[in-house]
Amino acid sequence: TLTVFNQQQKEGIRKATAGAKYLPKDLRAKKTRAMRRALTKSERGQKTLKQKRTIAAFPKVKYAVKAYTYTSLYNLKSKETKLIE
């Protein structure tokens, strides 16, 4: 809990440091130590050059599978093909 004086003081510091590169430690997000050091979403999504090369070299293979409707199992005349990854 903060006193009124402390609240006013923190608001003044927030206004003074708005747009600055760094925030004072008492104004930063608390969280936990592990959460503060964890990778950001953008950092998690990045791939290494080697990963990019292997993905480009070995794309996912698409297979075409013939699917039969219930009635066509008996007469086998209407054949439909579906794409499955």
Side-chain angles (χ1 to χ4, degrees):
T1 59
L2 297 170
T3 62
V4 175
F5 179 76
N6 283 353
Q7 284 178 328
Q8 289 173 342
Q9 196 176 21
K10 280 202 174 189
E11 283 177 29
I13 294 169
R14 275 196 188 94
K15 287 177 185 172
T17 58
K21 189 174 182 181
Y22 299 108
L23 275 175
K25 283 196 174 179
D26 58 336
L27 295 181
R28 292 179 196 170
K30 181 87 169 97
K31 298 186 181 179
T32 61
R33 191 170 186 217
M35 284 175 74
R36 288 194 303 265
R37 281 156 179 72
L39 294 171
T40 60
K41 284 184 180 179
S42 61
E43 288 172 339
R44 266 186 267 146
Q46 287 179 344
K47 290 189 166 84
T48 61
L49 190 63
K50 192 170 186 177
Q51 283 175 316
K52 288 176 188 174
R53 282 184 189 149
T54 51
I55 290 167
F58 306 104
K60 280 195 172 182
V61 181
K62 292 182 180 180
Y63 297 96
V65 180
K66 285 184 181 177
Y68 298 101
T69 58
Y70 181 73
T71 55
S72 66
L73 285 174
Y74 295 104
N75 56 17
L76 296 174
K77 287 182 181 174
S78 62
K79 294 177 184 175
E80 303 168 8
T81 56
K82 287 185 179 179
L83 224 68
I84 299 173
E85 285 189 35

